[in-house]
Amino acid sequence: ATPSGNPTGHPLVPLGAAVCGRTLETFIRMPLEVLRTTMQTSDVGSTLGSTVRMLLRQPPTMWFRGTVPTLLRDVPFSAIYWCGYEYAKSRVCISDQVLVSDNLRTLLQSFICGAGAGIVAAVLTTPVDMIKTVRQHDLIAGTQSSYHDILRKIRDKPAAAFAG
């Protein structure tokens, strides 16, 4: 509990925790993502060992390919999700007339708040995910669209940001 007796603390704590946690998690996960995508796009005969050896011959900066677009997608998602979850949790109250068990009320409240926050965060960050996906697809196909070109396509055809 805080000195004022408020058990939730400052309202920006979930935002700060989400941003810091997701940023750190992304930097830890990126070398594994590069390994995964390299294996998915390599020859059928490639093994985990040969792919790891190939990546170890690359400069460390190559292990973090795609970090910026991933951060631009994942950090806002987490920030929106956790702020939305905490806000909803403070507003959603399941009556004991609906469910007698405290544990089931907590479970239902968490489910409703998490689902609502997840939907909002996904809708708001889908355009960024689409930009990342288009960029990755273009790189694999051997072409390279700039972020500016992709954003221009979205401006000209906004529905494209939510395709798929």
Side-chain angles (χ1 to χ4, degrees), residues 58-120:
Q58 303 292 321
T61 55
M62 294 301 288
W63 305 345
F64 293 92
R65 286 180 299 199
T67 299
V68 172
T70 301
L71 287 170
L72 290 174
R73 178 196 63 192
D74 291 0
V75 171
F77 179 92
S78 291
I80 294 165
Y81 174 85
W82 283 109
C83 288
Y85 177 82
E86 291 295 328
Y87 177 79
K89 198 169 78 170
S90 72
R91 300 286 189 252
V92 172
C93 181
I94 309 297
S95 169
D96 58 359
Q97 294 173 348
V98 175
L99 287 172
V100 177
S101 168
D102 286 341
N103 291 338
L104 287 177
R105 276 199 311 274
T106 300
L107 176 68
L108 183 59
Q109 179 194 32
S110 296
F111 178 80
I112 291 168
C113 296
I119 289 168
V120 170

Side-chain angles (χ1 to χ4, degrees), residues 31-152:
L32 295 173
E33 287 289 322
V34 169
L35 176 64
R36 180 183 60 83
T37 56
T38 301
M39 287 192 69
Q40 288 175 339
T41 58
S42 65
D43 295 332
V44 176
S46 296
T47 64
L48 176 61
S50 65
T51 305
V52 168
R53 283 189 294 279
M54 186 269 303
L55 287 174
L56 287 174
R57 288 191 296 269
Q58 303 292 321
T61 55
M62 294 301 288
W63 305 345
F64 293 92
R65 286 180 299 199
T67 299
V68 172
T70 301
L71 287 170
L72 290 174
R73 178 196 63 192
D74 291 0
V75 171
F77 179 92
S78 291
I80 294 165
Y81 174 85
W82 283 109
C83 288
Y85 177 82
E86 291 295 328
Y87 177 79
K89 198 169 78 170
S90 72
R91 300 286 189 252
V92 172
C93 181
I94 309 297
S95 169
D96 58 359
Q97 294 173 348
V98 175
L99 287 172
V100 177
S101 168
D102 286 341
N103 291 338
L104 287 177
R105 276 199 311 274
T106 300
L107 176 68
L108 183 59
Q109 179 194 32
S110 296
F111 178 80
I112 291 168
C113 296
I119 289 168
V120 170
V123 166
L124 293 175
T125 59
T126 293
V128 178
D129 188 41
M130 190 277 307
I131 292 168
K132 181 179 185 270
T133 302
V134 167
R135 181 105 163 125
Q136 286 176 331
H137 178 270
D138 288 352
L139 290 173
I140 290 169
T143 60
Q144 189 166 352
S145 297
S146 70
Y147 290 115
H148 186 265
D149 293 338
I150 297 168
L151 289 171
R152 187 179 314 117

Side-chain angles (χ1 to χ4, degrees), residues 13-27:
V13 168
L15 175 65
V19 168
C20 292
R22 185 52 72 137
T23 301
L24 180 62
E25 181 273 335
T26 299
F27 276 101

